[in-house]
């Protein structure tokens, strides 16, 4: 029995479409008594499902994989990112994008044991601090035309559902994110964002008024002139969040 509470092991997922590459990383990880490998994944889609269900602390992630690469995985995880992500790849041209996407380290194949130990040591340190101070989602990664763009959450004016995607509106521009609007609603800061329709979320800081239409339905007026339909189901919630008890038939 431990005289003090025993620290929990670092739950780890290894993702690479090459079996030998996965095995090499797993062998090194099993030498460390602090590590628990909870899953080895051979594809990005498998990794996405396992990370969401198992909630690992650490992921070793390959970049280039068929159908769904490492950046796709990070984009679709959104605010569900593990505390530490280490990219492992044979290509050096993705390093900047990896760090911008929130990766802790970027290891080039082939790597030696010393390089691996440095990456693992950094991951352990990040995880220790991260468990003491939970992170907040402050940006989103958008993959478009072979590039990854990073958008600050605070800059989003409003969000609309677009089939299995979410369309993020920032000023005159719109960006498609491969996430559902329901998933985003769970991750966004509820003190800033509010659902106003089954297909619409609005940044409360952009709201300038409410207007009652001829059909008896309210519109949400944004500072940039955008008008958004609001359903009755969400009207009381929005008014409460805005500190409004009563509204007239014109803009507030």
């Amino acid at each position: 029995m431990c005289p003090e509470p025993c620290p929990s092991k670092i739950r780890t997922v290894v993702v690479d479409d090459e079996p030998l590459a996965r095995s090499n990383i797993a062998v090194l990880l099993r030498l460390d008594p602090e590590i628990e490998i909870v899953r080895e994944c051979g594809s990005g889609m498998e990794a996405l499902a396992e990370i969401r269900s198992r909630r690992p602390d650490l992921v070793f992630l390959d970049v280039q994989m068929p159908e769904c690469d490492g950046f796709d995985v990070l984009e679709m995880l959104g605010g569900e990112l593990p505390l530490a992500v280490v990219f492992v790849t044979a290509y050096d041209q993705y390093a900047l994008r990896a760090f911008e996407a929130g990766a802790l380290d970027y290891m080039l194949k082939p790597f030696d044991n010393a390089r691996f130990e440095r990456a693992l040591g950094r991951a352990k340190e990040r995880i220790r601090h991260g468990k003491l101070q939970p992170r907040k989602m402050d940006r989103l990664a958008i993959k478009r035309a072979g590039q990854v763009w990073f958008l600050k959450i605070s800059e989003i004016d409003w969000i609309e559902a677009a089939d299995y995607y979410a369309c993020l509106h920032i000023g005159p521009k719109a960006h498609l994110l491969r996430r559902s609007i329901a998933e985003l609603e769970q991750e966004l800061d509820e003190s800033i964002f509010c659902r106003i329709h089954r297909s619409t979320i609005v940044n409360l800081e952009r709201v300038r008024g409410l207007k009652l239409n001829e059909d008896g339905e309210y519109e949400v007026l944004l500072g940039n002139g955008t008008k958004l339909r609001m359903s009755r189901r969400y009207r009381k919630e929005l008014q409460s969040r805005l500190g409004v008890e009563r509204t007239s038939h014109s803009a507030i």
Side-chain angles (χ1 to χ4, degrees), residues 21-236:
R22 288 200 310 273
S23 177
N24 288 341
I25 294 176
V27 167
L28 293 173
L29 287 171
R30 290 191 177 98
L31 297 175
D32 192 315
E34 296 182 53
I35 300 296
E36 176 189 1
I37 300 176
V38 296
R39 188 70 176 181
E40 295 180 35
C41 303
S43 71
M45 293 307 297
E46 180 186 2
L48 183 65
E50 293 297 332
I51 292 170
R52 282 176 169 169
S53 64
R54 297 178 183 270
R55 304 284 184 175
D57 306 301
L58 171 62
V59 173
F60 284 85
L61 180 63
D62 189 17
V63 173
Q64 286 202 336
M65 294 179 287
E67 297 183 357
C68 178
D69 65 23
F71 291 110
D72 290 327
V73 172
L74 294 190
E75 178 186 352
M76 289 186 284
L77 282 174
E80 300 176 282
L81 285 177
L83 288 170
V85 176
V86 176
F87 270 114
V88 185
T89 179
Y91 306 92
D92 61 2
Q93 66 264 37
Y94 302 112
L96 178 60
R97 288 169 55 191
F99 288 120
E100 289 178 338
L104 173 67
D105 209 335
Y106 189 93
M107 294 198 306
L108 284 174
K109 304 174 186 177
F111 51 83
D112 57 25
N113 289 7
R115 177 67 182 90
F116 182 85
E117 287 299 324
R118 288 198 300 274
L120 184 56
R122 292 186 66 197
K124 288 181 179 180
E125 191 67 20
R126 166 72 67 83
I127 291 164
R128 292 189 190 102
H129 287 295
K131 286 185 175 181
L132 294 175
Q133 186 175 5
R135 298 174 301 166
K136 294 182 180 179
M137 184 174 69
D138 60 358
R139 62 181 176 175
L140 290 168
I142 306 292
K143 188 174 181 182
R144 185 179 64 195
Q147 297 183 347
V148 178
W149 299 84
F150 301 93
L151 308 179
K152 290 184 179 180
I153 300 294
S154 60
E155 295 178 348
I156 298 173
D157 299 323
W158 62 288
I159 304 169
E160 67 175 323
D163 293 327
Y164 298 105
Y165 290 77
C167 186
L168 313 179
H169 293 268
I170 300 177
K173 297 183 179 180
H175 308 268
L176 278 179
L177 176 67
R178 191 162 24 174
R179 305 285 303 285
S180 72
I181 197 170
E183 290 175 330
L184 284 177
E185 184 183 19
Q186 295 299 315
E187 298 171 10
L188 292 170
D189 187 340
E190 63 179 14
S191 68
I192 299 176
F193 290 90
C194 182
R195 191 82 166 258
I196 63 170
H197 190 273
R198 61 183 177 81
S199 61
T200 311
I201 295 174
V202 69
N203 185 334
L204 294 173
E205 296 180 356
R206 304 296 193 272
V207 176
R208 292 296 176 266
L210 304 179
K211 183 178 180 180
L212 188 64
N213 290 332
E214 295 179 356
D215 59 3
E217 297 293 335
Y218 275 98
E219 287 182 333
V220 177
L221 310 179
L222 306 189
N224 62 6
T226 300
K227 298 179 181 180
L228 303 174
R229 180 184 175 190
M230 177 171 61
S231 66
R232 294 181 180 180
R233 173 183 175 186
Y234 298 100
R235 187 174 68 190
K236 288 185 178 180

